Amino acid sequence: MNDVHKTESESTERSASKTSTRRADLRARLVAAGRAAIAEGGLQNLRARDLAAAAGCAVGAIYNVFDDLDDLILRIGADTLAHLEQGLAAPPGPAPEPAEELLRLSRFYLSFARANKALWRALFEHRLAGGRPAPAWYLEDQGRLFALVEAPLARLLPDEPAASRALLARTLFSAVHGIVSLGLEEKLAPMSEAALEGELERLVRAFAGGLTIRRTGEDPWKD
Amino acid sequence: MNDVHKTESESTERSASKTSTRRADLRARLVAAGRAAIAEGGLQNLRARDLAAAAGCAVGAIYNVFDDLDDLILRIGADTLAHLEQGLAAPPGPAPEPAEELLRLSRFYLSFARANKALWRALFEHRLAGGRPAPAWYLEDQGRLFALVEAPLARLLPDEPAASRALLARTLFSAVHGIVSLGLEEKLAPMSEAALEGELERLVRAFAGGLTIRRTGEDPWKD
């Protein structure tokens, strides 16, 4: 390989890397613009024309860096999940009692949903065109959140098989999500913040207590 | 009052009653048309023009018998709730064990949601314009469903104050709804029908068990 060839190859690499950086920049700008649009007015506020204007690109350029708007919405969702995950991460120190840890996770979920209502709502409202299932990379992002629920469940039920524990984490998350979502939306009679927090605690404590008793015959409520 | 006056008054009454029957007929036809439209394609499939065509009236006539489309959607929702209520009603015979009764109600809720997915989904997706709360008559219809959950809870926790029990019924419903809705939608990894039913049972039994123990110190899982 002579010097001329080397220079040409380096220049091609530099140019490829520049293109890839430009693409990554545009993707990030579009995700940020989409995030702001959803935060302001929900999923129905997401319009390709507005996104392109906010990100400073042509409408067609959106489809050079995302498969379609669904793909962009999933990336915004992943971004929301990442923020949620940061907040849910366990504080340093020894592992707390499982029921307390489950309660901490549930309370943070409620406060996150309250503070980021439109973005949180969009996670559940968005449906992929044609009823397609969510892609594997997105389910993997979700899985990391469920793992945070599985950890205290593993301490609560050390003999539970992993597959059953994974289902249980999802079940507890779904139950908490139901209470949070029906509590924050206006479909049932309105509920005070304190009442909602109290009910969340009642569910988590009764559920954790009931699970423990079933397994060990031990009564966690006895003094 | 002479005969002429009497006849006039009767004729006015007859005509008023005819108008009222016609209005009730049109309302019923519009609710039926709206129900069919939602069942076919969800809330976004509900269009005033199509409804008027299906019910055989002018578009403007919809607004003579309903305040607005939100009002019509609430009436369709009440109709869905009435069907759900019929199915949830307790079978004749002695009252079953509270946990079994809660499980029966939860299972029926799951099967109803599965069989009437679009109409059931519309109950929760629909939001009133301007964030208005649901009207009192609608909340009353909802309340009758919660009463069905309160009855077994009253047997499970006879000393629970009524207000706390009412909140608890709503909490359990919300938890079950969370499991059913995340289980039936495609937002999490797909789940088999049997697994979903198993998880619903796990939640209800652990919750009912945990509540009982907290109150009485009795272990329902002991042989």
Side-chain angles (χ1 to χ4, degrees):
Chain A
M1 205 188 261
N2 62 28
D3 277 6
V4 176
H5 273 116
K6 205 173 172 187
T7 310
E8 270 179 3
S9 148
E10 272 175 358
S11 143
T12 309
E13 267 169 31
R14 255 202 315 274
S15 145
S17 132
K18 253 195 201 163
T19 306
S20 136
T21 307
R22 263 203 309 268
R23 283 175 61 89
D25 280 356
L26 180 55
R27 281 172 67 94
R29 286 204 307 279
L30 285 166
V31 166
R35 204 181 135 81
I38 293 175
E40 197 194 302
L43 273 180
Q44 62 268 40
N45 195 35
L46 200 77
R47 279 174 294 264
R49 188 179 301 241
D50 299 345
L51 290 178
C57 69
V59 171
I62 298 175
Y63 305 99
N64 291 334
V65 292
F66 292 106
D67 297 340
D68 47 32
L69 276 191
D70 272 350
D71 185 25
L72 170 57
I73 294 171
L74 284 171
R75 297 291 164 179
I76 296 167
D79 192 57
T80 308
L81 292 181
H83 280 97
L84 179 56
E85 193 184 344
Q86 273 172 12
L88 287 173
E97 281 300 297
E100 297 307 319
E101 173 69 354
L102 293 171
L103 205 50
R104 183 187 70 77
L105 294 170
S106 307
R107 283 182 179 136
F108 184 82
Y109 185 71
L110 169 59
S111 69
F112 182 88
R114 243 191 215 130
N116 304 277
K117 207 158 161 185
L119 285 162
W120 161 76
R121 206 184 244 172
L123 287 177
F124 300 94
E125 275 188 359
H126 176 234
R127 284 195 203 101
L128 293 171
R132 272 185 298 148
W137 66 263
Y138 185 84
L139 293 177
E140 224 167 88
D141 281 8
Q142 270 185 353
R144 281 204 307 280
L145 291 173
F146 286 127
L148 296 172
V149 185
E150 280 183 56
L153 286 176
R155 294 201 304 280
L156 192 70
L157 307 171
D159 300 331
E160 193 76 12
S164 166
R165 194 168 60 220
L167 274 178
L168 196 59
R170 175 186 163 137
T171 295
L172 179 56
F173 166 75
S174 301
V176 165
H177 172 75
I179 291 172
V180 168
S181 79
L182 295 184
L184 294 186
E185 306 288 353
E186 286 81 30
K187 296 306 297 177
L188 306 182
M191 211 171 175
S192 75
E193 287 197 10
L196 184 50
E197 280 159 28
E199 289 307 301
L200 202 56
E201 176 162 357
R202 195 140 70 149
L203 173 95
V204 173
R205 288 205 188 279
F207 185 65
L211 282 176
T212 316
I213 280 135
R214 190 175 188 182
R215 290 286 150 179
T216 65
E218 182 194 301
D219 181 349
W221 301 106
K222 228 175 241 168
D223 295 314
Chain B
M1 203 190 264
N2 64 25
D3 278 5
V4 176
H5 275 115
K6 205 174 174 185
T7 309
E8 272 177 0
S9 146
E10 274 175 357
S11 143
T12 309
E13 268 169 30
R14 255 203 312 274
S15 145
S17 132
K18 254 194 201 163
T19 305
S20 136
T21 306
R22 265 202 307 268
R23 282 175 62 89
D25 279 356
L26 180 56
R27 281 172 67 93
R29 285 204 308 278
L30 285 166
V31 166
R35 203 180 136 79
I38 293 175
E40 198 193 302
L43 273 180
Q44 61 269 42
N45 194 35
L46 201 77
R47 280 174 292 264
R49 189 180 298 243
D50 299 346
L51 289 178
C57 70
V59 171
I62 297 175
Y63 305 99
N64 290 334
V65 293
F66 292 106
D67 297 340
D68 47 31
L69 276 191
D70 272 350
D71 184 26
L72 170 57
I73 294 171
L74 283 171
R75 298 291 164 179
I76 296 167
D79 192 57
T80 307
L81 292 181
H83 280 98
L84 178 56
E85 193 183 346
Q86 272 173 12
L88 287 173
E97 282 300 299
E100 297 306 320
E101 173 69 355
L102 293 172
L103 204 50
R104 184 187 70 76
L105 293 170
S106 306
R107 284 181 179 138
F108 184 82
Y109 185 70
L110 169 60
S111 69
F112 183 88
R114 242 190 215 132
N116 303 278
K117 207 158 159 185
L119 284 162
W120 161 75
R121 207 184 245 172
L123 287 177
F124 299 95
E125 276 189 358
H126 176 234
R127 285 197 202 98
L128 292 172
R132 273 185 297 150
W137 66 264
Y138 185 85
L139 293 176
E140 224 167 86
D141 281 10
Q142 270 185 353
R144 283 204 307 280
L145 291 173
F146 286 126
L148 296 172
V149 184
E150 280 182 56
L153 285 176
R155 296 202 303 281
L156 193 70
L157 307 172
D159 299 332
E160 194 75 12
S164 166
R165 194 167 62 219
L167 275 178
L168 196 59
R170 174 185 165 139
T171 296
L172 179 56
F173 166 75
S174 301
V176 165
H177 173 75
I179 291 172
V180 167
S181 79
L182 294 185
L184 294 185
E185 304 290 353
E186 286 80 30
K187 296 307 297 177
L188 306 182
M191 209 172 175
S192 75
E193 288 198 10
L196 184 50
E197 280 158 30
E199 289 307 301
L200 202 58
E201 176 162 355
R202 195 141 67 150
L203 172 94
V204 173
R205 288 203 189 281
F207 184 65
L211 283 176
T212 317
I213 280 135
R214 190 174 189 182
R215 289 289 151 177
T216 64
E218 182 193 300
D219 181 352
W221 298 108
K222 228 174 239 171
D223 295 316

